[in-house]
Amino acid sequence: MAGLPADLLFEGARLATMAGPGLGVVEDGVLAVRDGRIVYAGTRDTAPAFEAAHRVPCDGLWITPGLVDCHTHLVFAGDRSEEFARRLAGESYAEIARGGGGIASTVRATRAADEATLLALGLKRLDALLAEGVTTIEVKSGYGLDEETERRQLRVARALGAHRAVAVRTTYLGAHAVPPGGDRAAYLDLVCDRMIPALAAEGLADAVDVFQEGIAFSAQECTRVFSAARAAGLPVKSHAEQLSDSGGAALAARFGALSADHLEYCSAEGAAAMAQAGTVAVLLPGAFLMLNEARKPPIASFRAAGVRLAVATDLNPGSSPIASLRVSATLACVLFGMTVEEAWRGMTINAAHALGLQDRVGSLEPGKRADLAIWSVDHLAQVVAQIGPSPLQARCHGGVLA
Ligand code: NIG
Ligand code: FE
């Protein structure tokens, strides 16, 4: 009797499906792909017979879901390494921002860069992520802070997905900073009344983000941005509680945010509100490391409240110039006390939740896109326990193996 048709059949692999709680480990696993989707992922014993166009003998290699980097700012121009040196000499991130450096510095450089330049710069950073098994990324705008440049950033972000085998989600972060020399009230009008409805209508943004902080936007201002996003039918996210507790996590939760990110200063109430709303806590240990922060996100409160934990790079030129999700996971374990299992779920299924993509990616389950990372390791801990050459053997996006 002929078997079920498959385009690709991985045999003799060890799977970490991330389906259900834990890693969902399957020793001696089989994974079948048809039309870009997973049609089977499980034990060999229980696998139906497949008639496969291509069989891939895995000989004990590990297969995990393709990694999801759910928080990046990777489309930008310019360089801020000089700020790194200034921080080493004692200036703080907030002081540099108030003095016209920080985000404003990247805004100047990004405005001056044309689309082709931004694309080339973005692809270079993206390639570093892909080399470590990433198959889905989120990219934020927020370094234009005017209509034209914000759109250019979002167009370039979308274009990344046409140039590489990766899925891209775009997030409009107009409320990142008040543009240099700009009027605060007029800028918020532009963001809320013009940009958000227009970007939603154009399909250029999949979500809306804010930076709620003393050096950025207040709770009241973020409330207005969130309201505009919701009115335009876009889900929201928040840079919350990075440098101080301004109630950003609870506010984001009130708007049903997909995620609240950073969260070093998040309170127990913030964690409880996130749990209730199903808002994912996205931890960004790269920013914590590079800003030499002391206050850690309240992982124990998140665990106790049942908040999903994700990890992302926050790849950006200032607070987190780190183009490695794997290193970010390592840092989340070492600096924040996440377990290896939490780090893995944080780069896969929980990161998918942070983008609202949990039904499409993030686990090895029938019906999901065949986004896979194939690892030449003996144990999955090796992927996060070592900083150095990538142990990735191959990557599969939408059923295309590379
Ligand atoms: O996620 N927190 C605000 N925004 C970015 C960094 C922006 C920058 O320094 O360029 C972040 O850390
Ligand atoms: Fe960020």
Side-chain angles (χ1 to χ4, degrees):
M1 192 183 82
L4 297 172
D7 302 320
L8 272 175
L9 187 67
F10 297 91
E11 295 172 300
R14 289 189 272 180
L15 310 178
T17 64
M18 310 294 162
L23 298 175
V25 170
V26 178
E27 300 282 348
D28 196 13
V30 166
L31 191 146
V33 175
R34 181 162 160 82
D35 292 335
R37 288 179 191 284
I38 296 169
V39 291
Y40 178 82
T43 57
R44 188 161 55 130
D45 300 355
T46 52
F50 285 102
E51 193 82 48
H54 295 284
R55 287 175 181 266
V56 185
C58 291
D59 199 19
L61 293 172
W62 278 92
I63 302 182
T64 68
L67 307 187
V68 177
D69 192 352
C70 65
H71 180 144
T72 87
H73 308 246
L74 67 73
V75 175
F76 64 85
D79 174 77
R80 293 184 13 220
S81 310
E82 158 266 344
E83 291 181 6
F84 176 78
R86 281 166 65 187
R87 288 198 306 275
L88 293 177
E91 276 184 84
S92 75
Y93 179 71
E95 282 162 1
I96 292 170
R98 282 194 209 97
I103 293 168
S105 149
T106 302
V107 167
R108 288 188 289 274
T110 304
R111 285 180 179 175
D114 63 19
E115 206 150 322
T117 304
L118 286 175
L119 180 63
L121 290 167
L123 284 172
K124 216 166 134 182
R125 298 171 191 131
L126 174 61
D127 284 340
L129 297 176
L130 301 188
E132 296 191 329
V134 169
T135 50
T136 299
I137 57 163
E138 184 255 16
V139 181
K140 300 176 197 296
S141 68
Y143 288 131
L145 309 182
D146 61 22
E147 289 197 61
E148 190 195 321
T149 319
E150 288 288 311
R151 275 210 172 74
R152 195 184 321 139
Q153 270 194 287
L154 292 168
R155 276 199 307 272
V156 168
R158 284 265 192 259
L160 294 171
H163 283 79
R164 294 291 186 273
V166 67
V168 178
R169 298 299 277 182
T170 58
T171 301
Y172 173 55
L173 177 55
H176 199 194
V178 174
D183 175 80
R184 199 172 180 94
Y187 182 63
L188 268 172
D189 289 346
L190 173 74
V191 169
C192 298
D193 301 340
R194 257 174 90 97
M195 290 298 279
I196 289 176
L199 294 172
E202 291 159 28
L204 213 42
D206 300 314
V208 170
D209 199 346
V210 299
F211 185 14
Q212 183 173 333
E213 191 58 66
I215 54 167
F217 293 95
S218 69
Q220 209 182 4
E221 291 166 331
C222 292
T223 299
R224 195 175 152 207
V225 176
F226 288 157
S227 303
R230 293 292 298 267
L234 293 176
V236 303
K237 304 170 81 72
S238 177
H239 284 72
E241 267 76 284
Q242 181 188 9
L243 309 169
S244 61
D245 179 5
S246 62
L251 179 66
R254 189 140 67 73
F255 281 86
L258 291 172
S259 71
D261 305 33
H262 286 291
L263 300 168
E264 278 78 351
Y265 287 81
C266 184
S267 64
E269 296 78 58
M274 289 172 66
Q276 183 120 56
T279 298
V280 177
V282 177
L283 305 174
L284 306 172
F288 175 91
L289 173 82
M290 297 308 273
L291 300 186
N292 204 8
E293 297 287 349
R295 170 90 168 230
K296 301 185 182 201
I299 302 280
S301 304
F302 292 139
R303 283 187 190 126
V307 176
R308 278 192 189 85
L309 300 175
V311 184
T313 60
D314 195 13
L315 174 48
N316 75 67
S319 62
S320 191
I322 299 184
S324 172
L325 184 53
R326 216 156 62 80
V327 169
S328 302
T330 309
L331 296 176
C333 294
V334 176
L335 301 176
F336 296 165
M338 279 175 90
T339 65
V340 167
E341 182 178 304
E342 285 171 332
W344 265 106
R345 291 183 64 81
M347 298 188 284
T348 54
I349 187 63
N350 289 351
H353 274 279
L355 298 178
L357 296 178
Q358 65 275 11
D359 295 332
R360 293 193 233 170
V361 298
S363 63
L364 306 179
E365 293 179 89
K368 288 208 171 176
R369 192 163 63 220
D371 285 2
L372 317 173
I374 302 158
W375 306 93
S376 173
V377 292
D378 299 321
H379 191 284
L380 277 191
Q382 269 175 263
V383 176
V384 291
Q386 301 175 0
I387 295 176
S390 172
L392 187 80
Q393 176 90 19
R395 220 175 59 94
C396 183
H397 174 67
V400 179
L401 196 58

